[in-house]
Amino acid sequence: MIQTLPTAPIAGMKPGTSGLRKKVTEFAAGNYLPNFVQSVFDAVRPQGGLGGLTLVVGGDGRYYNLQAIQTVIRMAAANGFGRVLVGQGGILSTPAASCVIRQHHAFGGLILSASHNPGGPDGDFGIKFNGANGGPAAEKVTDAIYACTLKITAYRSTDTPDIDLGRIGTTQVEGMSVHVIDPVADYLALMRRLFDFDALQRLFASGFTLAFDAMHAVTGPYAHAIFERELGAAPGTVRHGTPLPDFGGHHPDPNLVHARELYDLMMSPQAPDLGAASDGDGDRNLIIGRGLFVAPSDSLAMLAANAHLAPAYAKGIVGIARSMPTSGAADRVAQALGVPCYETPTGWKFFGNLLDAGKVTLCGEESAGTGSDHVREKDGIWAVLLWLNVLAVRRQSVAQVAHEHWARYGRNYYTRHDYEDVDSAAAQALMQAVAAQLPTLAGATLDGRPVVIADDFSYLDPIDASVSKHQGLRIVFADGSRIVYRLSGTGTSGATLRVYIERFEGDAARHGLDTQEALADLIALADRVAGIRQRTGREVPSVIT
Ligand code: G1P
Ligand code: ZN
């Protein structure tokens, strides 16, 4: 029976860059989930209502995923949807959800994940809405959802029993059909169309070795199916391949701290040809060659320079987009290719308009996100497949590809220093102190370096003319070196300060330096300008990438 249940607004419902993220304990208590889901339905309901429309639902398998999906299904039925497509076992990686939405011409999807944040009863949970293009809702939509959460008085649900999510098949809930689908099939079919699977099979048959760390998160089933079963990589290629509700107690963030085991393997004499990892919901990627970590900003540039080697991009790319804090390495490739390179704020949603308008083919962020116009999310497995395709055609190692790239385009030394769980007031004060200096810095010199831009980054979307302000404080020097300060929008406890530092090196004799040493002067300067150690009370960053 369809019911209208009373509820009331709850504080803290403003969706951030990737939807609503909270501790599980907060999500599970009270009406966070029903309030958010009803607010989404109310905010996006078209003129003709939701009747007959298709909704895609799935998540990264973390704790609370299954309960949340049952709630979403009941509410979708009560709100009049015609059809729900849900991944078997409640599983859909974020890029696979984007693929399924597009493939089945769905109205949109609800993706349940807190990305790379830890899971389990004490971990994080999250939910976001993606529209018919398969991408995260634009800011005007998330603002409308938020507005609904402030005035909500009731939500619609049903008292129907739980759906069996373990079995592929179709069930009816109050006149709505629920299709439990294979979470991998549509995505695999798309990957087959993009890449030369025959060449990749030959690559593995020739003895090429891959270590893929799924971090006990959502990419396990995709990686087993694609790398091992389709492409013939040896059993054991996929590590930590079973999704677990608490990610095995680990932090499913493929960086050099949390994917340490993979990093150590890649630096050891036993290293396979390629090491890769993905995060909780499968949209991030980590790429490590034998003995060489490829910084995500470099990976974007190298993939852009070589994308034409894969069938999907054989005609060339039309443009690149990168988030502002991402290094300028991709800009150099774009320039050489004679295509534009757009600089957007942090967050994948800013790429959506450019992709939909056909202005760019590849996009990427320094935070281990790379993707293309094949879906509207960044895509971890896709990035690994594109690297494999490039290596298969060039018959070179990752290190050879990287060094040849730097020799041709120069090297953008790049690092990000994160200070996690910093006192929020101290972090705000730090940002204000830097912001206050910006007007005097523009045109001045710092340590003998002329400053050409000192501002709070603001973005004018070239497609819909919307403006996004306060996207990071940047100090750009005449030689292209940069220091950028930003507060994270995805952390769930305290504040996370991110400091991004970059320097261009054109001299090939200096392309083999240690990154932290190559950037030491600028790192010290970044601390001096912002008083990081003194204001945060931290001597060293929590994570260095
Ligand atoms: C972080 C990354 C950003 C990415 C987002 C979602 O956001 O920096 O590039 O789009 O996660 O994966 P932040 O915590 O910096 O706001
Ligand atoms: Zn993610």
Side-chain angles (χ1 to χ4, degrees), residues 21 60 94 113-117 252 254 278-284 378:
R21 261 183 219 177
D60 62 8
T94 295
S113 169
S115 188
H116 49 286
N117 292 8
S278 191
D279 71 328
D281 62 330
D283 56 0
R284 294 187 174 198
K378 55 195 176 224

Side-chain angles (χ1 to χ4, degrees), residues 260-279:
R260 186 76 208 184
E261 197 182 298
L262 180 72
Y263 179 80
D264 289 343
L265 171 70
M266 295 311 296
M267 298 302 134
S268 77
Q270 290 77 40
D273 294 299
L274 179 65
S278 191
D279 71 328

